[in-house]
Amino acid sequence: MRTDGTEKPKFWSSEVQKSSQWPKIKVLAGMLPSRVSRGESISLPSPAFRGCRLMVISMVMVSIGVYARLMKHAEAALACLAVDPAILLIVVGVLMFLLTFCGCIGSLRENICLLQTFSLCLTIVFLLQLAAGVLGFIFSDKARGKVSEFINNAIVHYRDDLDLQNLIDFGQKEFSCCGGISYKDWSLNMYFNCSDDNPSRERCSVPYSCCLPTPSQAVINTMCGQGMQAVDYLEASKVIYTNGCIDKLVNWIHSNLFLLGGVALGLAIPQLAGILLSQILVNRIKDQIKLQLYNQQHRADPWY
């Protein structure tokens, strides 16, 4: 008997309770909030708003990269395209914008296609990072060769790109190094080359960022590396850093494995959380659609 004194019709138990869909409907009714039965939407606002902030940050990154790229001379910019920090900023910003757009708009609009795209792209990024780390560890010699090739290419275009120049100077001062393998790698640059027909005033020199720091010096001497490639190792070591940046970088990685592991874990956890939460939201939206379809099918039922 119902609470209002009326009796349920016979077809209620025979057609609904014995239906194969009845257990699923009971589960859905228990899992979803009561507002779902009224046709209201489900969303996860906090992750969505965080995604919108990341989307704004990615747009700022792209804008800065595009501005830096446009301010460079066209011929010089094309010559050092592979080692241009502005290109890296643009690429990272675009990828970040696409990911955050799919995640943010997909969660706000409860769009299954965008959420699945977000989850798939995030999974691909995570797997690529994992594969790069594993391959870099297994094939360390080849990875070292690629890094050496990249640094030598950057040395060649040192004077062609101000952003690249500042990046190299920062790296050499931060790691107390000079060149890729040694300070003589700066002969690869046309301005620092030691050939007799080089008319540059910086012939056989190294950048000032290779020089040993002088605490009492108030003004930076940008010509402190003058002629250092022409002297032997011991004499040059009194004025500049003689060790290459590759060895310094490898030693730094070996001495900071726990720090790098923590950074890698800090990057992996948000990615895995994003994949998991997006799949949970997709499943909840699908369950909501199923329940709404059931409501529409039984809307004509006076006892529903």
Side-chain angles (χ1 to χ4, degrees), residues 14-304:
S14 60
E15 294 184 3
V16 178
Q17 292 186 351
K18 292 183 180 181
S19 173
S20 60
Q21 299 295 327
W22 179 249
K24 297 181 181 179
I25 295 169
K26 291 174 64 179
V27 171
L28 291 175
M31 289 176 58
L32 295 175
S34 58
R35 60 192 180 96
V36 172
S37 61
R38 299 192 301 268
E40 298 181 10
S41 60
I42 300 175
S43 61
L44 298 179
S46 297
F49 288 131
R50 286 196 294 267
C52 291
R53 289 198 295 267
L54 291 175
M55 189 162 57
V56 173
I57 293 174
S58 65
M59 294 174 65
V60 172
M61 292 173 60
V62 173
S63 301
I64 294 174
V66 171
Y67 175 79
R69 187 67 185 171
L70 293 177
M71 290 297 102
K72 297 176 183 177
H73 193 272
E75 295 180 0
L78 290 176
C80 54
L81 186 63
V83 290
D84 190 354
I87 294 296
L88 178 63
L89 196 64
I90 293 173
V91 172
V92 173
V94 169
L95 293 177
M96 184 176 173
F97 175 81
L98 293 176
L99 279 175
T100 53
F101 176 83
C102 292
C104 178
I105 303 302
S107 59
L108 288 175
R109 302 300 302 168
E110 298 180 1
N111 189 295
I112 295 178
C113 181
L114 288 178
L115 287 172
Q116 289 180 339
T117 302
F118 171 76
S119 178
L120 178 62
C121 292
L122 208 58
T123 303
I124 293 174
V125 170
F126 175 76
L127 293 178
L128 287 177
Q129 292 175 348
L130 183 63
V134 172
L135 292 177
F137 179 78
I138 296 176
F139 302 102
S140 57
D141 294 336
K142 291 185 178 180
R144 183 189 179 95
K146 289 295 183 181
V147 172
S148 178
E149 181 181 348
F150 179 82
I151 292 178
N152 290 337
N153 191 21
I155 289 175
V156 171
H157 299 288
Y158 176 76
R159 291 297 190 196
D160 299 337
D161 188 344
L162 184 60
D163 294 333
L164 179 63
Q165 179 178 325
N166 293 333
L167 181 62
I168 293 176
D169 288 336
F170 172 79
Q172 291 189 146
K173 288 188 290 186
E174 187 71 19
F175 290 100
S176 302
C177 59
C178 186
I181 304 300
S182 71
Y183 65 100
K184 292 185 179 295
D185 290 341
W186 281 101
S187 286
L188 297 172
N189 188 279
M190 60 182 297
Y191 299 98
F192 299 104
N193 191 275
C194 289
S195 59
D196 296 333
D197 58 347
N198 185 7
S200 174
R201 291 181 300 174
E202 297 177 313
R203 176 181 173 272
C204 238
S205 302
V206 294
Y208 78 95
S209 56
C210 291
C211 298
L212 298 174
T214 306
S216 59
Q217 189 176 13
V219 181
I220 297 177
N221 180 15
T222 57
M223 301 301 292
C224 58
Q226 185 72 30
M228 286 293 105
Q229 293 188 59
V231 301
D232 58 17
Y233 183 87
L234 292 177
E235 187 177 351
S237 62
K238 300 176 183 178
V239 182
I240 63 172
Y241 302 116
T242 54
N243 293 326
C245 293
I246 296 178
D247 292 333
K248 286 283 188 175
L249 180 61
V250 171
N251 294 335
W252 183 85
I253 291 175
H254 287 166
S255 59
N256 293 275
L257 287 177
F258 288 105
L259 175 62
L260 294 176
V263 171
L265 187 62
L267 292 175
I269 290 178
Q271 292 176 1
L272 294 175
I275 296 171
L276 179 62
L277 290 176
S278 62
Q279 289 301 318
I280 291 176
L281 184 55
V282 167
N283 292 333
R284 292 181 65 182
I285 295 172
K286 289 180 178 179
D287 291 341
Q288 177 186 358
I289 293 174
K290 291 179 182 178
L291 188 57
Q292 288 177 347
L293 290 176
Y294 174 81
N295 292 340
Q296 293 176 0
Q297 292 173 358
H298 296 79
R299 187 167 297 172
D301 187 355
W303 300 104
Y304 176 67

